Each structure stands twice: as C-alpha cells, then as structure tokens.
mmCIF file of all heavy atoms in Angstrom:
data_model
loop_
_atom_site.group_PDB
_atom_site.id
_atom_site.type_symbol
_atom_site.label_atom_id
_atom_site.label_comp_id
_atom_site.label_asym_id
_atom_site.label_seq_id
_atom_site.Cartn_x
_atom_site.Cartn_y
_atom_site.Cartn_z
ATOM 1 N N LEU A 1 -16.490 2.244 -5.888
ATOM 2 C CA LEU A 1 -15.139 2.187 -5.353
ATOM 3 C C LEU A 1 -14.617 0.756 -5.214
ATOM 4 O O LEU A 1 -13.419 0.542 -5.058
ATOM 5 C CB LEU A 1 -15.060 2.913 -4.010
ATOM 6 C CG LEU A 1 -15.303 4.423 -4.048
ATOM 7 C CD1 LEU A 1 -15.120 5.024 -2.664
ATOM 8 C CD2 LEU A 1 -14.387 5.110 -5.046
ATOM 9 N N ASN A 2 -15.509 -0.231 -5.298
ATOM 10 C CA ASN A 2 -15.091 -1.624 -5.219
ATOM 11 C C ASN A 2 -14.180 -2.022 -6.379
ATOM 12 O O ASN A 2 -13.501 -3.037 -6.321
ATOM 13 C CB ASN A 2 -16.303 -2.564 -5.184
ATOM 14 C CG ASN A 2 -17.089 -2.423 -3.902
ATOM 15 O OD1 ASN A 2 -16.570 -1.947 -2.892
ATOM 16 N ND2 ASN A 2 -18.341 -2.821 -3.933
ATOM 17 N N HIS A 3 -14.161 -1.223 -7.433
ATOM 18 C CA HIS A 3 -13.327 -1.511 -8.603
ATOM 19 C C HIS A 3 -11.882 -1.074 -8.415
ATOM 20 O O HIS A 3 -11.037 -1.375 -9.255
ATOM 21 C CB HIS A 3 -13.894 -0.795 -9.845
ATOM 22 C CG HIS A 3 -15.277 -1.223 -10.209
ATOM 23 N ND1 HIS A 3 -15.533 -2.415 -10.834
ATOM 24 C CD2 HIS A 3 -16.470 -0.626 -10.020
ATOM 25 C CE1 HIS A 3 -16.833 -2.532 -11.030
ATOM 26 N NE2 HIS A 3 -17.426 -1.452 -10.542
ATOM 27 N N PHE A 4 -11.584 -0.358 -7.336
ATOM 28 C CA PHE A 4 -10.279 0.271 -7.166
ATOM 29 C C PHE A 4 -9.599 -0.159 -5.870
ATOM 30 O O PHE A 4 -10.262 -0.572 -4.928
ATOM 31 C CB PHE A 4 -10.421 1.797 -7.144
ATOM 32 C CG PHE A 4 -11.144 2.364 -8.326
ATOM 33 C CD1 PHE A 4 -12.475 2.730 -8.228
ATOM 34 C CD2 PHE A 4 -10.484 2.521 -9.550
ATOM 35 C CE1 PHE A 4 -13.148 3.254 -9.326
ATOM 36 C CE2 PHE A 4 -11.145 3.041 -10.644
ATOM 37 C CZ PHE A 4 -12.482 3.399 -10.533
ATOM 38 N N HIS A 5 -8.278 -0.007 -5.856
ATOM 39 C CA HIS A 5 -7.553 -0.092 -4.593
ATOM 40 C C HIS A 5 -7.880 1.173 -3.815
ATOM 41 O O HIS A 5 -7.963 2.258 -4.384
ATOM 42 C CB HIS A 5 -6.040 -0.148 -4.832
ATOM 43 C CG HIS A 5 -5.575 -1.400 -5.474
ATOM 44 N ND1 HIS A 5 -5.605 -2.623 -4.843
ATOM 45 C CD2 HIS A 5 -5.066 -1.633 -6.705
ATOM 46 C CE1 HIS A 5 -5.133 -3.541 -5.642
ATOM 47 N NE2 HIS A 5 -4.806 -2.974 -6.795
ATOM 48 N N ILE A 6 -8.063 1.029 -2.504
ATOM 49 C CA ILE A 6 -8.380 2.187 -1.660
ATOM 50 C C ILE A 6 -7.353 2.276 -0.541
ATOM 51 O O ILE A 6 -7.024 1.277 0.094
ATOM 52 C CB ILE A 6 -9.802 2.065 -1.067
ATOM 53 C CG1 ILE A 6 -10.841 2.007 -2.187
ATOM 54 C CG2 ILE A 6 -10.092 3.213 -0.113
ATOM 55 C CD1 ILE A 6 -12.245 1.724 -1.725
ATOM 56 N N ILE A 7 -6.850 3.488 -0.312
ATOM 57 C CA ILE A 7 -5.925 3.729 0.797
ATOM 58 C C ILE A 7 -6.586 4.700 1.764
ATOM 59 O O ILE A 7 -7.009 5.784 1.371
ATOM 60 C CB ILE A 7 -4.584 4.315 0.299
ATOM 61 C CG1 ILE A 7 -3.831 3.263 -0.505
ATOM 62 C CG2 ILE A 7 -3.740 4.796 1.465
ATOM 63 C CD1 ILE A 7 -2.497 3.746 -1.032
ATOM 64 N N ASP A 8 -6.674 4.278 3.018
ATOM 65 C CA ASP A 8 -7.248 5.122 4.067
ATOM 66 C C ASP A 8 -6.140 5.989 4.651
ATOM 67 O O ASP A 8 -5.302 5.505 5.415
ATOM 68 C CB ASP A 8 -7.872 4.229 5.143
ATOM 69 C CG ASP A 8 -8.458 5.020 6.299
ATOM 70 O OD1 ASP A 8 -8.393 6.271 6.276
ATOM 71 O OD2 ASP A 8 -8.991 4.389 7.233
ATOM 72 N N ILE A 9 -6.108 7.254 4.282
ATOM 73 C CA ILE A 9 -5.030 8.142 4.724
ATOM 74 C C ILE A 9 -5.260 8.713 6.128
ATOM 75 O O ILE A 9 -4.433 9.469 6.630
ATOM 76 C CB ILE A 9 -4.779 9.287 3.720
ATOM 77 C CG1 ILE A 9 -6.045 10.079 3.496
ATOM 78 C CG2 ILE A 9 -4.216 8.761 2.425
ATOM 79 C CD1 ILE A 9 -5.809 11.353 2.741
ATOM 80 N N SER A 10 -6.370 8.330 6.762
ATOM 81 C CA SER A 10 -6.606 8.791 8.133
ATOM 82 C C SER A 10 -5.853 7.918 9.144
ATOM 83 O O SER A 10 -5.784 8.248 10.315
ATOM 84 C CB SER A 10 -8.103 8.777 8.452
ATOM 85 O OG SER A 10 -8.595 7.442 8.461
ATOM 86 N N ARG A 11 -5.274 6.822 8.671
ATOM 87 C CA ARG A 11 -4.527 5.931 9.562
ATOM 88 C C ARG A 11 -3.209 6.596 9.970
ATOM 89 O O ARG A 11 -2.753 7.530 9.332
ATOM 90 C CB ARG A 11 -4.244 4.610 8.836
ATOM 91 C CG ARG A 11 -5.524 3.948 8.354
ATOM 92 C CD ARG A 11 -5.238 2.793 7.456
ATOM 93 N NE ARG A 11 -4.807 1.668 8.262
ATOM 94 C CZ ARG A 11 -4.390 0.521 7.755
ATOM 95 N NH1 ARG A 11 -4.314 0.365 6.460
ATOM 96 N NH2 ARG A 11 -4.032 -0.465 8.539
ATOM 97 N N ASP A 12 -2.594 6.068 11.032
ATOM 98 C CA ASP A 12 -1.314 6.639 11.450
ATOM 99 C C ASP A 12 -0.270 6.382 10.358
ATOM 100 O O ASP A 12 -0.437 5.512 9.506
ATOM 101 C CB ASP A 12 -0.862 6.078 12.801
ATOM 102 C CG ASP A 12 -0.534 4.595 12.734
ATOM 103 O OD1 ASP A 12 0.538 4.247 12.218
ATOM 104 O OD2 ASP A 12 -1.372 3.787 13.200
ATOM 105 N N GLN A 13 0.809 7.161 10.385
ATOM 106 C CA GLN A 13 1.783 7.134 9.295
ATOM 107 C C GLN A 13 2.401 5.754 9.110
ATOM 108 O O GLN A 13 2.611 5.311 7.991
ATOM 109 C CB GLN A 13 2.881 8.172 9.525
ATOM 110 C CG GLN A 13 3.785 8.329 8.312
ATOM 111 C CD GLN A 13 4.757 9.474 8.451
ATOM 112 O OE1 GLN A 13 4.784 10.180 9.444
ATOM 113 N NE2 GLN A 13 5.581 9.660 7.438
ATOM 114 N N HIS A 14 2.670 5.047 10.196
ATOM 115 C CA HIS A 14 3.263 3.711 10.098
ATOM 116 C C HIS A 14 2.336 2.762 9.325
ATOM 117 O O HIS A 14 2.784 2.040 8.428
ATOM 118 C CB HIS A 14 3.547 3.160 11.494
ATOM 119 C CG HIS A 14 4.211 1.825 11.496
ATOM 120 N ND1 HIS A 14 5.559 1.670 11.284
ATOM 121 C CD2 HIS A 14 3.709 0.574 11.667
ATOM 122 C CE1 HIS A 14 5.866 0.387 11.327
ATOM 123 N NE2 HIS A 14 4.760 -0.292 11.570
ATOM 124 N N ALA A 15 1.042 2.790 9.663
ATOM 125 C CA ALA A 15 0.071 1.924 8.978
ATOM 126 C C ALA A 15 -0.080 2.327 7.517
ATOM 127 O O ALA A 15 -0.217 1.469 6.631
ATOM 128 C CB ALA A 15 -1.283 1.990 9.690
ATOM 129 N N LEU A 16 -0.040 3.630 7.245
ATOM 130 C CA LEU A 16 -0.162 4.121 5.877
ATOM 131 C C LEU A 16 1.038 3.689 5.036
ATOM 132 O O LEU A 16 0.885 3.221 3.899
ATOM 133 C CB LEU A 16 -0.298 5.643 5.878
ATOM 134 C CG LEU A 16 -0.494 6.329 4.537
ATOM 135 C CD1 LEU A 16 -1.717 5.792 3.808
ATOM 136 C CD2 LEU A 16 -0.604 7.832 4.722
ATOM 137 N N VAL A 17 2.229 3.819 5.586
ATOM 138 C CA VAL A 17 3.443 3.388 4.888
ATOM 139 C C VAL A 17 3.356 1.893 4.581
ATOM 140 O O VAL A 17 3.651 1.452 3.467
ATOM 141 C CB VAL A 17 4.703 3.708 5.727
ATOM 142 C CG1 VAL A 17 5.925 2.970 5.208
ATOM 143 C CG2 VAL A 17 4.956 5.209 5.742
ATOM 144 N N LYS A 18 2.933 1.114 5.559
ATOM 145 C CA LYS A 18 2.811 -0.336 5.383
ATOM 146 C C LYS A 18 1.832 -0.664 4.262
ATOM 147 O O LYS A 18 2.099 -1.518 3.409
ATOM 148 C CB LYS A 18 2.362 -0.974 6.700
ATOM 149 C CG LYS A 18 2.279 -2.479 6.662
ATOM 150 C CD LYS A 18 1.931 -3.033 8.027
ATOM 151 C CE LYS A 18 1.818 -4.540 7.993
ATOM 152 N NZ LYS A 18 1.516 -5.099 9.318
ATOM 153 N N GLU A 19 0.702 0.036 4.236
ATOM 154 C CA GLU A 19 -0.315 -0.209 3.212
ATOM 155 C C GLU A 19 0.203 0.127 1.811
ATOM 156 O O GLU A 19 -0.001 -0.629 0.858
ATOM 157 C CB GLU A 19 -1.563 0.622 3.534
ATOM 158 C CG GLU A 19 -2.773 0.234 2.729
ATOM 159 C CD GLU A 19 -4.033 0.940 3.209
ATOM 160 O OE1 GLU A 19 -4.034 1.507 4.322
ATOM 161 O OE2 GLU A 19 -5.023 0.916 2.468
ATOM 162 N N ILE A 20 0.903 1.245 1.682
ATOM 163 C CA ILE A 20 1.441 1.642 0.376
ATOM 164 C C ILE A 20 2.533 0.673 -0.061
ATOM 165 O O ILE A 20 2.610 0.289 -1.229
ATOM 166 C CB ILE A 20 1.952 3.096 0.404
ATOM 167 C CG1 ILE A 20 0.775 4.053 0.599
ATOM 168 C CG2 ILE A 20 2.690 3.441 -0.886
ATOM 169 C CD1 ILE A 20 1.167 5.493 0.823
ATOM 170 N N LEU A 21 3.389 0.247 0.866
ATOM 171 C CA LEU A 21 4.433 -0.723 0.538
ATOM 172 C C LEU A 21 3.823 -2.039 0.061
ATOM 173 O O LEU A 21 4.312 -2.650 -0.887
ATOM 174 C CB LEU A 21 5.333 -0.973 1.749
ATOM 175 C CG LEU A 21 6.379 0.094 2.039
ATOM 176 C CD1 LEU A 21 7.017 -0.129 3.405
ATOM 177 C CD2 LEU A 21 7.450 0.122 0.956
ATOM 178 N N LYS A 22 2.744 -2.478 0.701
ATOM 179 C CA LYS A 22 2.074 -3.711 0.264
ATOM 180 C C LYS A 22 1.531 -3.561 -1.152
ATOM 181 O O LYS A 22 1.682 -4.450 -1.987
ATOM 182 C CB LYS A 22 0.929 -4.066 1.225
ATOM 183 C CG LYS A 22 1.366 -4.767 2.462
ATOM 184 C CD LYS A 22 0.173 -5.196 3.291
ATOM 185 C CE LYS A 22 0.609 -5.959 4.518
ATOM 186 N NZ LYS A 22 -0.518 -6.355 5.358
ATOM 187 N N LEU A 23 0.891 -2.435 -1.414
ATOM 188 C CA LEU A 23 0.369 -2.181 -2.763
ATOM 189 C C LEU A 23 1.499 -2.162 -3.785
ATOM 190 O O LEU A 23 1.390 -2.742 -4.864
ATOM 191 C CB LEU A 23 -0.351 -0.826 -2.804
ATOM 192 C CG LEU A 23 -1.844 -0.798 -2.593
ATOM 193 C CD1 LEU A 23 -2.351 0.636 -2.658
ATOM 194 C CD2 LEU A 23 -2.562 -1.663 -3.590
ATOM 195 N N HIS A 24 2.582 -1.489 -3.443
ATOM 196 C CA HIS A 24 3.724 -1.366 -4.357
ATOM 197 C C HIS A 24 4.331 -2.744 -4.647
ATOM 198 O O HIS A 24 4.593 -3.092 -5.793
ATOM 199 C CB HIS A 24 4.763 -0.426 -3.766
ATOM 200 C CG HIS A 24 5.946 -0.208 -4.651
ATOM 201 N ND1 HIS A 24 5.847 0.346 -5.901
ATOM 202 C CD2 HIS A 24 7.253 -0.494 -4.473
ATOM 203 C CE1 HIS A 24 7.038 0.416 -6.458
ATOM 204 N NE2 HIS A 24 7.918 -0.096 -5.608
ATOM 205 N N ASN A 25 4.531 -3.536 -3.600
ATOM 206 C CA ASN A 25 5.115 -4.866 -3.791
ATOM 207 C C ASN A 25 4.167 -5.805 -4.523
ATOM 208 O O ASN A 25 4.600 -6.626 -5.318
ATOM 209 C CB ASN A 25 5.528 -5.472 -2.448
ATOM 210 C CG ASN A 25 6.845 -4.922 -1.959
ATOM 211 O OD1 ASN A 25 7.460 -4.083 -2.605
ATOM 212 N ND2 ASN A 25 7.294 -5.376 -0.815
ATOM 213 N N MET A 26 2.867 -5.672 -4.259
ATOM 214 C CA MET A 26 1.878 -6.509 -4.943
ATOM 215 C C MET A 26 1.911 -6.248 -6.445
ATOM 216 O O MET A 26 1.837 -7.159 -7.257
ATOM 217 C CB MET A 26 0.478 -6.215 -4.381
ATOM 218 C CG MET A 26 -0.616 -7.087 -4.973
ATOM 219 S SD MET A 26 -2.203 -6.783 -4.173
ATOM 220 C CE MET A 26 -2.524 -5.103 -4.635
ATOM 221 N N GLY A 27 2.079 -4.978 -6.815
ATOM 222 C CA GLY A 27 2.069 -4.633 -8.226
ATOM 223 C C GLY A 27 3.414 -4.758 -8.909
ATOM 224 O O GLY A 27 3.485 -4.917 -10.119
ATOM 225 N N HIS A 28 4.499 -4.703 -8.124
ATOM 226 C CA HIS A 28 5.819 -4.640 -8.748
ATOM 227 C C HIS A 28 6.807 -5.656 -8.206
ATOM 228 O O HIS A 28 8.002 -5.546 -8.444
ATOM 229 C CB HIS A 28 6.390 -3.221 -8.598
ATOM 230 C CG HIS A 28 5.504 -2.200 -9.228
ATOM 231 N ND1 HIS A 28 5.452 -2.006 -10.577
ATOM 232 C CD2 HIS A 28 4.593 -1.357 -8.687
ATOM 233 C CE1 HIS A 28 4.572 -1.060 -10.849
ATOM 234 N NE2 HIS A 28 4.037 -0.655 -9.724
ATOM 235 N N GLY A 29 6.330 -6.630 -7.452
ATOM 236 C CA GLY A 29 7.222 -7.694 -6.990
ATOM 237 C C GLY A 29 8.024 -7.303 -5.775
ATOM 238 O O GLY A 29 7.975 -6.194 -5.292
ATOM 239 N N ASN A 30 8.767 -8.261 -5.272
ATOM 240 C CA ASN A 30 9.580 -8.068 -4.079
ATOM 241 C C ASN A 30 10.766 -7.182 -4.398
ATOM 242 O O ASN A 30 11.552 -7.479 -5.271
ATOM 243 C CB ASN A 30 10.046 -9.439 -3.569
ATOM 244 C CG ASN A 30 10.680 -9.349 -2.204
ATOM 245 O OD1 ASN A 30 11.077 -8.283 -1.763
ATOM 246 N ND2 ASN A 30 10.774 -10.481 -1.545
ATOM 247 N N ARG A 31 10.915 -6.094 -3.664
ATOM 248 C CA ARG A 31 11.969 -5.126 -3.931
ATOM 249 C C ARG A 31 13.166 -5.293 -2.991
ATOM 250 O O ARG A 31 13.852 -4.342 -2.687
ATOM 251 C CB ARG A 31 11.421 -3.694 -3.783
ATOM 252 C CG ARG A 31 10.340 -3.366 -4.774
ATOM 253 C CD ARG A 31 10.897 -3.377 -6.169
ATOM 254 N NE ARG A 31 9.899 -2.889 -7.108
ATOM 255 C CZ ARG A 31 10.048 -2.907 -8.404
ATOM 256 N NH1 ARG A 31 11.132 -3.409 -8.941
ATOM 257 N NH2 ARG A 31 9.118 -2.434 -9.199
ATOM 258 N N GLN A 32 13.401 -6.491 -2.509
ATOM 259 C CA GLN A 32 14.515 -6.667 -1.596
ATOM 260 C C GLN A 32 15.826 -6.366 -2.294
ATOM 261 O O GLN A 32 15.984 -6.618 -3.475
ATOM 262 C CB GLN A 32 14.534 -8.094 -1.051
ATOM 263 C CG GLN A 32 13.374 -8.342 -0.113
ATOM 264 C CD GLN A 32 13.511 -9.648 0.612
ATOM 265 O OE1 GLN A 32 14.389 -10.438 0.331
ATOM 266 N NE2 GLN A 32 12.636 -9.880 1.556
ATOM 267 N N HIS A 33 16.738 -5.841 -1.539
ATOM 268 C CA HIS A 33 18.038 -5.459 -2.096
ATOM 269 C C HIS A 33 18.801 -6.721 -2.490
ATOM 270 O O HIS A 33 19.010 -7.612 -1.672
ATOM 271 C CB HIS A 33 18.822 -4.662 -1.043
ATOM 272 C CG HIS A 33 19.998 -3.959 -1.609
ATOM 273 N ND1 HIS A 33 21.147 -4.619 -1.942
ATOM 274 C CD2 HIS A 33 20.193 -2.656 -1.921
ATOM 275 C CE1 HIS A 33 22.025 -3.757 -2.422
ATOM 276 N NE2 HIS A 33 21.468 -2.564 -2.413
#
C-alpha cells in the first residue's frame, strides 16, 4: 500500500473532505475561482 495514496474513510466528514480536496489540488493544481 506504500505505492498508493490512501484515504482513511473512518475520519469525520470534514477531515475526509479536506483530505480529498488536498489530493485533488495536488494532482490538478489550485482550483480557485
């Protein structure tokens, strides 16, 4: 699993959203309007 990004879905929704947003921005740049 060290070869992959891992998301812990047992975290509260706010932390999960933050983690996914970080992954998304890391891979696709800053999405500011």
